[in-house]
Amino acid sequence: MTTPTTPSQAPLDLTVEGMTCGSCAARVQRTLERQQGVSRADVNFATGLVRVHSDGPVDLEALDHAIDRVGYHLVSTEPEEADHGEDPDETEARERRRWGWRILVATPPSLVVLWLAMFSGDLGEQTWARWAQFVLTLPVQFWVGWPFLHEMARRARRGTANMDTLIGLGTLAAFGYSTVALFTGGFLYFEVAAIIIAFLSLGRYFEARAKSRAGSALRSLLELGAKQARVLREGEEVLIPADEVMVGDLLRVRPGEKIPADGEVVDGSSAVNESMLTGESVPVEKSEGAKVAGATINTSGLLTVRATAVGSDTALAQIVDLVQQAQAGKAPVQRLADRISAVFVPIVMALAVLTFLGWWAFAGDPLGGLIAAVAVLIIACPCALGLATPIAIMVGTGRGASLGVLIRSVDVLERTREATTIVFDKTGTLTRGEMTVTDIVTAPDTSEEELLARAGAVESGSEHPIGAAITAEARARTGQLPAVDGFSSTAGHGVEAVVDGSRVWVGRRKLLAEAGVVVTGALEEAAQRCEQHGRTAVLVAWDGEARGVLGVADTLKEGAADIVAELRSMGLEVALLTGDNARTAEAIASAVGIDRVLAEVLPGDKVAEVERLQSEGHVVAMVGDGVNDAPALVQADLGIAIGTGTDVAIESSDLTLMRGDLAGVPLALRLSRRTYRTILQNLGWAFAYNVAALPLAAVGLLNPMIAGAAMAFSSVSVVANALRLRRFAR
């Protein structure tokens, strides 16, 4: 380790070498959590990664020494150290080749030994045949089985045990007894040792292959970034490695090339393929002023981009970090499996001894007891328990990232299953957020141009989408807007300012009422008419009188009604949360099929509305995209941020959709629920397997060879079940 300590509160990611089963992961976790400064450690057996959470300074050397004492080794994953390490793909390929060669070596002699022992009749009892079994089993036991024996010895030196201990003890017991029987004329069990090792080697090969496929989605994300960048230096293009790009550099991106870093287009226009980040296959048009993300592909025109974020600050790097955080976490149900795995190996060893003694004492058959004990040692694999959750999370979060869905933590998976109500913010979430002026109604003594000019001038100081729409329409109709003084804004009600010596109010009825202005007659009827048609009525007044009504509308996002119907079919109640008046909100809700409307809710009151729903017994999922949605996203049991929204909304969410397409909401929920269901299936299989198999082995109803095959199958089956998530479709 090159860094002696890490600052408190900073999660530390490390790689653990030497873990071979779920009990290993549990032991590493217990050891780390006993170290000074460590508040929690999440160990992922499937990836070999551990995330250490601290409540004080952590001594990395002390962590390494503590882990080394129990038979494992920590490796830093810091970029400057990781660059000198081996490519993970090559490591996994070497692991597959390692077990592949062992399968090739083990299979022929194991089959011959099995034939001689069980199917050759009297031929197998001849002296040469008995010695042939011994000779053929030797390389299988001590070369093919060397990884198991080596790990068993390492654990023994440190006073610990794991799955390799069970395998080593079981196969050595069968081999050792058979070797003695070879000289004394007893019955041979060489085929038990040979076939078990052959089956377990085959299981390790398939497990290594499947784990590699499980992590392929995350690796493909890591590989998406551009390798080189064309940087403009003194007007000339210079080709440099992409990781040398600095913030502020001007980058020239030609058609077909990847954009090297996050940035802003300063010249040119083109369509950019963002599918690797958002899952959306249709290219997005980009022109001067548009933001672009690194790793996306320029499909047509020539772009000049000013880099605004590089390295770990890019969108791609943050996506990868979010996925890795989710994969490092543990669902509550997995913690039970970890506790069982931690004590499983010593319990199994004790059970094997009791099985042998029981057969000897009560049945008078020590040989039968030995075979039953070997079956107990071999069948009791906690690997399936250790793999059940992390493999499903790896595949599920990886598939989500490829579809533009980011799952922030493992707990989210369980909360998606429990959600009963989903609340949509309106502007920018359910609607496009692109407001336009649709109606202009004026008082008899006021012209449309004057109404728009004054309202647009006042709203020019507002950042609200409605204000921006009024300002844009005013500029389009009247040109230069008059100057304003004394601008002030009342959140959720409107704005006011002095224009040409008169105080002008633009907003809701309540804003005008507080200013002593009463809206009646034709203007009130016009306002009600706008609201009945789902438009927002903005009232304008000056000199103490109402001067006009502006109708402003925001169009619904494509397919909004279909999305609401799909969510309702999933058993969710759908609600609309908006600051609009009740009539406008009801009209929009009716258009998309939403029954429950929470209208006229000020930005600061959104949290209170979510809390009210929760107090009624609802488990609330909140969908939003703006700054004022962030507190409500945090308060909700499940926060879902539309990725086209603001960074603060995305940071406050549990699920992030990388594009503004509402279809991502049911997609994210279905994927999360499917992933959690896969975890439960895997854990259910692993528990049932061990609960059912151990008693059968102990009473002699399970042949050790069958036990070896079943043990290998159990681990491969949970991985194969998780890999089905790779085929999850939108």
Side-chain angles (χ1 to χ4, degrees), residues 260-263 277 293-295 308-321:
D262 291 5
L277 297 182
T308 57
V310 298
S312 61
D313 295 327
T314 63
L316 176 64
Q318 291 173 14
I319 289 171
V320 170
D321 185 59

Side-chain angles (χ1 to χ4, degrees), residues 241-495:
D243 56 9
E244 294 181 9
V245 173
M246 301 177 66
V247 172
D249 279 346
L250 288 178
L251 310 172
R252 186 67 59 81
V253 188
R254 297 174 178 174
E257 293 182 342
K258 289 183 178 180
I259 297 173
D262 291 5
E264 181 178 334
V265 177
V266 296
D267 186 44
S269 62
S270 179
V272 175
N273 184 344
E274 298 181 337
S275 60
M276 61 288 298
L277 297 182
T278 66
E280 178 56 60
S281 58
V282 179
V284 180
E285 294 294 331
K286 302 287 184 180
S287 57
E288 186 174 342
K291 296 186 182 302
V292 292
T296 57
I297 300 173
N298 178 21
T299 63
S300 51
L302 181 66
L303 293 177
T304 302
V305 176
R306 177 178 287 108
T308 57
V310 298
S312 61
D313 295 327
T314 63
L316 176 64
Q318 291 173 14
I319 289 171
V320 170
D321 185 59
L322 273 175
V323 176
Q324 288 177 328
Q325 285 182 42
Q327 293 185 351
K330 290 188 178 181
V333 69
Q334 174 65 16
R335 300 190 186 279
L336 172 62
D338 287 345
R339 288 195 292 271
I340 292 173
S341 293
V343 298
F344 202 74
V345 172
I347 288 176
V348 168
M349 293 174 67
L351 181 59
V353 171
L354 290 175
T355 298
F356 173 72
L357 294 176
W359 276 73
W360 193 352
F362 298 106
D365 186 3
L367 178 56
L370 175 64
I371 299 305
V374 169
V376 167
L377 291 171
I378 298 302
I379 197 66
C381 174
C383 297
L385 283 176
L387 284 169
T389 296
I391 281 291
I393 292 169
M394 282 176 65
V395 182
T397 55
R399 180 57 179 156
S402 67
L403 293 174
V405 176
L406 300 185
I407 302 170
R408 182 171 291 275
S409 69
V410 182
D411 292 345
V412 171
L413 302 175
E414 190 163 2
R415 278 180 271 148
T416 57
R417 185 175 62 95
E418 298 170 348
T420 60
T421 302
I422 185 163
V423 178
F424 280 95
D425 172 60
K426 181 180 77 70
T427 304
T429 302
L430 201 60
T431 63
R432 296 183 185 278
E434 300 170 358
M435 312 293 286
T436 56
V437 176
T438 57
D439 302 84
I440 304 175
V441 180
T442 65
D445 57 347
T446 305
S447 68
E448 289 187 1
E449 285 72 19
E450 183 183 16
L451 183 75
L452 276 172
R454 293 198 173 197
V458 175
E459 288 285 12
S460 65
S462 170
E463 296 180 352
H464 196 283
I466 291 178
I470 294 173
T471 300
E473 182 70 15
R475 285 190 173 127
R477 292 275 296 268
T478 66
Q480 186 70 30
L481 299 178
V484 300
D485 294 307
F487 173 86
S488 67
S489 172
T490 304
H493 295 299
V495 293

Side-chain angles (χ1 to χ4, degrees), residues 100-120:
W101 279 111
R102 281 178 158 75
I103 293 168
L104 290 176
V105 172
T107 302
S110 297
L111 291 176
V112 173
V113 171
L114 179 63
W115 180 77
L116 287 173
M118 302 188 68
F119 303 107
S120 64

Side-chain angles (χ1 to χ4, degrees), residues 170-301:
T171 56
L172 280 178
F175 182 85
Y177 172 84
S178 300
T179 301
V180 173
L182 181 64
F183 293 96
T184 61
F187 198 77
L188 303 182
Y189 289 99
F190 286 120
E191 79 281 2
V192 171
I195 291 296
I196 285 173
I197 290 174
F199 271 133
L200 296 184
S201 298
L202 184 64
R204 290 285 175 94
Y205 171 78
F206 281 123
E207 187 178 308
R209 183 179 174 186
K211 285 165 67 175
S212 174
R213 292 173 62 197
S216 61
L218 183 58
R219 283 197 302 276
S220 65
L221 278 178
L222 290 166
E223 294 166 359
L224 282 177
K227 301 299 185 288
Q228 293 181 313
R230 301 178 191 276
V231 182
L232 291 177
R233 299 278 166 83
E234 299 179 356
E236 299 291 329
E237 288 186 13
V238 180
L239 196 63
I240 64 172
D243 56 9
E244 294 181 9
V245 173
M246 301 177 66
V247 172
D249 279 346
L250 288 178
L251 310 172
R252 186 67 59 81
V253 188
R254 297 174 178 174
E257 293 182 342
K258 289 183 178 180
I259 297 173
D262 291 5
E264 181 178 334
V265 177
V266 296
D267 186 44
S269 62
S270 179
V272 175
N273 184 344
E274 298 181 337
S275 60
M276 61 288 298
L277 297 182
T278 66
E280 178 56 60
S281 58
V282 179
V284 180
E285 294 294 331
K286 302 287 184 180
S287 57
E288 186 174 342
K291 296 186 182 302
V292 292
T296 57
I297 300 173
N298 178 21
T299 63
S300 51

Side-chain angles (χ1 to χ4, degrees), residues 372-654:
V374 169
V376 167
L377 291 171
I378 298 302
I379 197 66
C381 174
C383 297
L385 283 176
L387 284 169
T389 296
I391 281 291
I393 292 169
M394 282 176 65
V395 182
T397 55
R399 180 57 179 156
S402 67
L403 293 174
V405 176
L406 300 185
I407 302 170
R408 182 171 291 275
S409 69
V410 182
D411 292 345
V412 171
L413 302 175
E414 190 163 2
R415 278 180 271 148
T416 57
R417 185 175 62 95
E418 298 170 348
T420 60
T421 302
I422 185 163
V423 178
F424 280 95
D425 172 60
K426 181 180 77 70
T427 304
T429 302
L430 201 60
T431 63
R432 296 183 185 278
E434 300 170 358
M435 312 293 286
T436 56
V437 176
T438 57
D439 302 84
I440 304 175
V441 180
T442 65
D445 57 347
T446 305
S447 68
E448 289 187 1
E449 285 72 19
E450 183 183 16
L451 183 75
L452 276 172
R454 293 198 173 197
V458 175
E459 288 285 12
S460 65
S462 170
E463 296 180 352
H464 196 283
I466 291 178
I470 294 173
T471 300
E473 182 70 15
R475 285 190 173 127
R477 292 275 296 268
T478 66
Q480 186 70 30
L481 299 178
V484 300
D485 294 307
F487 173 86
S488 67
S489 172
T490 304
H493 295 299
V495 293
E496 60 182 281
V498 176
V499 181
D500 295 334
S502 299
R503 178 156 292 277
V504 180
W505 293 271
V506 183
R508 292 184 176 185
R509 293 176 180 80
K510 187 173 182 180
L511 180 73
L512 272 62
E514 290 176 350
V517 178
V518 179
V519 182
T520 59
L523 292 183
E524 174 61 24
E525 291 176 4
Q528 291 182 12
R529 193 164 53 248
C530 284
E531 291 165 356
Q532 286 169 356
H533 288 85
R535 301 164 190 154
T536 299
V538 179
L539 303 167
V540 185
W542 65 81
D543 293 337
E545 295 182 16
R547 301 290 181 166
V549 176
L550 299 174
V552 182
D554 183 9
T555 56
L556 288 167
K557 287 185 176 177
E558 186 178 354
D562 293 335
I563 298 305
V564 170
E566 183 176 354
L567 291 169
R568 293 176 67 175
S569 71
M570 294 168 62
L572 293 167
E573 179 182 354
V574 185
L576 176 65
L577 180 65
T578 178
D580 278 347
N581 63 76
R583 283 199 185 120
T584 301
E586 290 285 358
I588 291 173
S590 176
V592 296
I594 293 176
D595 295 325
R596 184 160 186 168
V597 177
L598 308 172
E600 300 182 24
V601 179
L602 297 177
D605 294 335
K606 288 185 177 181
V607 170
E609 287 296 326
V610 172
E611 288 178 332
R612 185 167 64 83
L613 287 171
Q614 290 171 326
S615 68
E616 295 174 4
H618 297 273
V619 178
V620 179
M622 170 78 189
V623 185
D625 79 321
V627 172
N628 57 15
D629 297 324
L633 289 172
V634 173
Q635 176 61 39
D637 300 284
L638 183 69
I640 304 175
I642 301 291
T644 50
T646 62
D647 289 341
V648 66
I650 293 171
E651 285 298 316
S652 305
S653 67
D654 299 306

